[in-house]
């Protein structure tokens, strides 16, 4: 059995269930004044609660995991960082919340180009925000022209690595030219400001080029991840009333050619609003071109000018719609607008990744997700960064592909997802060991909670114990990172996204909308508007209000649970709907999962509740073991392990082993599906986002045995 990181598991100590105050076991290094700011409501409330009558309805979520490890930024990192001390963070934060509008106004004036300056910073008519409303700007201008004007024309914007190994390098000047040419192509097809353009492409430079070309002329892009089905494209195009489709003849994935154009052809049968389809030639494979409707990208731009001045757009012009599935019902088109989103993506990129001019940044997300929008396109590009774009799978041609790329391009900052990190752990350390990763200075994580042991592996194995890890919490709706360490300022704790970014005021509330106490879990809400916030759900104002603004007056409801510890650090506890209720104790999925992942044989785990006549719910877990480890005999050992780490109450009742967990296409564990499977329900809900149907089939047959 291979153990990638020979850690001990003493980082966990079992603590009292239900609420305890600040934990004496935790290693408390400082108590920030900021914490006091946050904790004011919480402690007041906790005090009033303990003297009052406990109300079953307000029972908060129990916290059973206590992670005590703490990692300070090194002196070297700190001395070079933009925000290099906790005091610097705290004064930046204090400034940002003492007069939030003035803070963002200053940021917007200093960090965006304005054709016409704004005079109004914020109009807040809850839940509708307008930022910098009377100013005009252009996101494509901010990402391209502004860099060229600043002398960065010859700086590399994109190092592209195709899955087959082909490479391209584009400077900011190259990118500007390609964007202008394609924007002129869009104009030729009759696309004007406000039209919706649907983009379904593999991760090649033409994907950001198409996005920025839309932004340049004020068209609204709707990027659909290149792995979605024809039906998913048709639904989204219909909802968005898209006028144009952009795609490719194909893309490479694990050595095969994905037939994107075929999928689009099937989808467009059901999309009467789409008048044209532009096809970029990526693979050279044969595709059918429908006369009148379809046009090759290279033909479209063959005779256009290299010049296309960026349109002067009102700050609140829609920039893009991005569909996100949400926990139930049809996908919602999350709307982001121009200036506020652009500013928020740029500043959060600079703060969180401590961006330096000579960095080589690699965000491994696809532009089909918000992470690709904010931290491949709008954030890094408006900051003039050099970045890597990789087309393919992390395990093609072998499981070392990411590390090969890091070594080859001397990547300095790597931003990836826990699902990838856990896959690397499962595949084994030898894929990492053959590479020199010493160029890395910063690591990031996004998309799900990162289990502390996966964090430790990332820290040691990839970061050589020398790189801060930024665990970034945010959502498609928030537009950019909301909570994350600022890496030169905030010491990290494995599994915590630490503290809010400037201008962001998180609150944790119980079901009765009371603020919870220290270390009590509850609904995570955001109190003040921020420039990157969603402006609505496309064509569905009712759902926008209901989903995010109806339950908690005056606050944005994130849909996640969280707790805040005695150091003012935030810990995401999973989706509100995923809480497991065992004998009246509400447990968070991530804590049970993290206890399992702390066993050396376990690569990944999912925990769900299933109905139980005695306890209300029993805990069912689905476990993936590291490659080469045998399963069944571990069942008892794992049960005991969880009991030892976090207590008897959290001990799993059912343990099932699976070679891989069902995930959404963006890599999130599908706990809702697993819940149905654990409950033995026939109806497994909407499985259209399953990564691999064979996994579902396998788990079901387990059910039957
Ligand atoms: C949901 C948002 C954020 C961009 C990509 C996903 C979960 C995200 C973390 C984190 C714990 C996290 C939350 C959130 N999530 N980052 N660092 N720790 N949970 O965007 O698809 O809109 O998903 O992902 O549950 O609400 P998304």
């Amino acid at each position: 059995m291979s153990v990638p990181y020979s850690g001990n598991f003493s980082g966990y100590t079992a603590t009292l269930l239900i609420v305890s105050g600040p934990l004496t076991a935790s290693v408390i290094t400082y108590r920030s004044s900021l914490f006091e700011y946050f904790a004011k409501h919480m402690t007041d409330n906790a005090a009033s609660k303990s003297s009052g009558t406990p109300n079953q309805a307000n029972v908060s979520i129990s916290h059973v995991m206590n992670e005590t490890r703490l990692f300070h930024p090194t002196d070297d990192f700190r001395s070079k960082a933009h925000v290099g001390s906790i005091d610097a963070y705290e004064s930046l934060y204090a400034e940002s919340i003492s007069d939030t509008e003035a803070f963002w106004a200053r940021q917007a004036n200093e960090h965006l180009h304005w054709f016409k300056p704004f005079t109004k910073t914020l109009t807040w008519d809850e839940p509708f925000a307008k930022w910098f409303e009377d100013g005009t700007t252009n996101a494509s201008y901010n990402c391209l022209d502004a860099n060229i004007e600043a002398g960065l024309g010859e700086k590399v914007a994109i190092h592209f690595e195709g899955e087959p190994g082909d490479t391209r390098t584009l400077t900011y000047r190259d990118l500007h030219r390609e964007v202008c040419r394609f924007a002129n192509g869009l104009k030729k097809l009759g696309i004007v400001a406000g039209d919706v353009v649907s983009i379904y492409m593999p991760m090649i430079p033409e994907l950001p080029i198409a996005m920025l070309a839309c932004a340049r002329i004020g068209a609204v892009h709707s990027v659909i991840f290149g792995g979605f089905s024809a039906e998913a494209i048709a639904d989204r195009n219909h909802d968005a009333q898209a006028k144009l489709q952009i795609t490719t003849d194909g893309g490479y994935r694990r050595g095969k050619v994905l037939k994107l154009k075929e999928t689009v052809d099937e989808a467009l049968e059901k999309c009467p609003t789409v008048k044209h389809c532009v096809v970029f030639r990526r693979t050279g494979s044969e595709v059918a071109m429908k006369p009148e409707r379809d046009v090759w990208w290279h033909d479209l731009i063959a005779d256009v000018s290299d010049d296309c001045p960026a349109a002067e757009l009102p700050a609140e012009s829609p920039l893009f719609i991005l569909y996100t599935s949400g926990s139930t019902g049809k996908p919602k088109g999350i709307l982001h607008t121009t200036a506020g989103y652009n500013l928020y993506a740029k500043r959060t990129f600079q703060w969180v990744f401590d961006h330096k001019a000579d960095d080589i940044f690699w965000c491994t997300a696809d532009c089909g997700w918000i992470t690709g929008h904010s931290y491949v396109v709008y954030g890094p590009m408006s900051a003039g960064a050099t970045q890597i774009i990789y087309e393919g799978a992390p395990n093609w041609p072998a499981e070392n592909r990411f590390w090969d790329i890091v070594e080859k391009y001397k990547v300095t900052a790597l931003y990836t997802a826990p699902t990838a990190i856990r896959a690397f752990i499962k595949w084994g350390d030898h894929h990492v060991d053959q590479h020199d990763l010493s160029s890395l200075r910063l690591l990031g994580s996004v998309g799900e909670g990162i289990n502390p042991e996966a964090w430790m592996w990332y820290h040691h194995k990839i970061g050589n114990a020398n790189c801060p890890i930024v665990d970034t919490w945010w959502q498609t709706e928030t537009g950019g990172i909301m909570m994350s360490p600022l890496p030169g300022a905030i010491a990290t704790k494995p599994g915590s996204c630490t503290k809010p970014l400037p201008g962001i005021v998180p609150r944790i509330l119980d079901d009765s909308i009371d603020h919870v106490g220290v270390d009590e879990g509850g609904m995570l809400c955001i109190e003040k508007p921020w420039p990157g916030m969603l402006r609505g759900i496309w064509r569905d104002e009712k759902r926008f209000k209901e989903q995010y603004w109806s339950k908690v007056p005056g606050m944005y409801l994130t849909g996640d649970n969280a707790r805040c510890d005695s150091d003012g650090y935030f810990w995401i506890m999973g989706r509100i709907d995923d809480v497991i209720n065992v004998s009246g104790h509400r447990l968070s999925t991530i804590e049970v999962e993290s206890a399992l992942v702390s066993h050396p044989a376990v690569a990944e785990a999912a925990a769900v509740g299933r109905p139980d006549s005695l306890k209300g719910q029993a805990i069912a877990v689905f476990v993936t073991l590291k490659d080469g480890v045998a399963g069944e005999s571990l069942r008892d050992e794992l049960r005991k392990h969880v009991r030892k780490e976090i207590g008897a109450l959290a001990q799993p009742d059912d343990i099932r082993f699976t070679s891989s967990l069902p995930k959404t296409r963006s890599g999130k564990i599908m706990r809702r599906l697993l819940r149905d499977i654990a409950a033995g329900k026939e109806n497994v809900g909407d499985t259209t986002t399953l990564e691999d149907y064979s996994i579902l089939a396998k788990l079901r047959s387990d059910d039957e045995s």
Side-chain angles (χ1 to χ4, degrees), residues 140 143-145 147-148 152-160 167-183 205-206 208-210 212-213 216 297 301 305-307 381:
S140 162
C143 290
L144 304 170
D145 310 57
N147 289 322
I148 294 171
L152 301 180
E154 308 320 315
K155 186 177 180 185
V156 173
I158 297 174
H159 287 293
F160 169 69
T167 60
R168 281 161 68 189
T169 305
L170 287 101
T171 62
Y172 274 97
R173 199 178 301 286
D174 295 334
L175 200 57
H176 180 268
R177 184 188 59 245
E178 296 307 316
V179 168
C180 286
R181 293 176 65 84
F182 193 63
E206 280 65 28
I209 288 169
L212 291 170
R216 201 157 185 90
W297 177 300
I301 62 165
S305 151
D306 284 0
D307 186 36
M381 290 186 185

Side-chain angles (χ1 to χ4, degrees), residues 266-562:
E266 194 187 328
L268 293 190
E269 293 293 307
K270 295 180 211 148
C271 303
T273 59
V274 176
K275 300 299 175 213
H276 294 283
C277 175
V278 181
V279 187
F280 181 78
R281 183 172 279 154
R282 164 66 182 135
T283 61
S285 29
E286 281 277 308
V287 294
M289 295 292 279
K290 191 169 169 179
E292 322 268 279
R293 189 194 69 184
D294 296 351
V295 46
W296 285 105
W297 177 300
H298 54 262
D299 288 340
L300 181 69
I301 62 165
D303 57 0
V304 299
S305 151
D306 284 0
D307 186 36
C308 175
E312 296 192 20
L313 300 171
E316 283 294 337
S317 313
L319 178 61
F320 64 87
I321 319 168
L322 183 60
Y323 284 87
T324 167
S325 42
S327 58
T328 50
K330 72 175 176 85
K332 357 170 228 213
I334 302 299
L335 172 67
H336 285 285
T337 58
T338 300
Y341 168 81
N342 193 169
L343 176 69
Y344 198 69
K346 177 177 181 179
R347 294 303 284 146
T348 53
F349 170 75
Q350 292 170 319
W351 283 322
V352 171
F353 301 101
D354 186 40
H355 182 252
K356 304 283 163 50
D358 58 356
D359 267 332
I360 309 288
F361 180 70
W362 185 20
C363 166
T364 67
D366 191 284
C367 285
W369 315 117
I370 189 68
T371 310
H373 282 62
S374 303
Y375 301 111
V376 175
V377 184
Y378 295 105
M381 290 186 185
S382 38
T386 295
Q387 67 178 313
I388 309 297
I389 289 186
Y390 169 56
E391 176 186 27
N395 55 350
W396 189 267
E399 284 79 359
N400 67 337
R401 186 65 184 268
F402 270 28
W403 318 121
D404 188 51
I405 293 174
V406 169
E407 181 171 7
K408 177 173 169 187
Y409 295 96
K410 300 199 168 21
V411 171
T412 58
L414 174 71
Y415 189 33
T416 194
T419 182
I421 296 165
R422 293 183 306 243
F424 298 131
I425 295 174
K426 183 173 188 291
W427 293 334
D429 288 10
H430 53 288
H431 298 296
V432 182
D433 292 339
Q434 46 183 302
H435 294 285
D436 174 6
L437 307 182
S438 59
S439 56
L440 288 169
R441 65 176 197 93
L442 179 89
L443 302 172
S445 171
V446 61
E448 285 183 295
I450 176 165
N451 310 109
E453 288 313 316
W455 194 104
M456 291 305 294
W457 182 89
Y458 200 29
H459 170 73
H460 281 280
K461 208 66 222 172
I462 307 304
N464 193 27
N466 197 36
C467 302
I469 296 179
V470 290
D471 175 355
T472 62
W473 176 83
W474 57 296
Q475 307 177 302
T476 303
E477 292 86 340
T478 68
I481 298 166
M482 301 289 277
M483 291 199 272
S484 165
L486 293 195
I490 299 176
T492 52
K493 299 184 186 187
S496 167
C497 59
T498 76
K499 293 178 181 253
L501 293 194
I504 303 305
V505 181
R507 299 284 187 212
I508 302 174
L509 304 167
D510 65 20
D511 288 348
S512 311
I513 324 295
D514 287 329
H515 293 265
V516 300
V518 168
D519 266 329
E520 286 186 296
M523 300 181 288
L524 176 64
C525 299
I526 310 292
E527 198 177 84
K528 283 176 191 264
W530 67 100
M533 71 197 294
L534 79 166
R535 299 299 194 269
I537 295 179
W538 194 248
R539 304 201 312 158
D540 201 343
E541 191 176 308
K542 189 163 160 265
R543 192 166 173 202
F544 173 58
K545 287 181 174 161
E546 267 168 25
Q547 179 127 17
Y548 307 106
W549 303 96
S550 61
K551 192 158 178 177
V552 180
M555 292 196 202
Y556 166 77
L557 180 73
T558 69
D560 283 348
N561 283 315

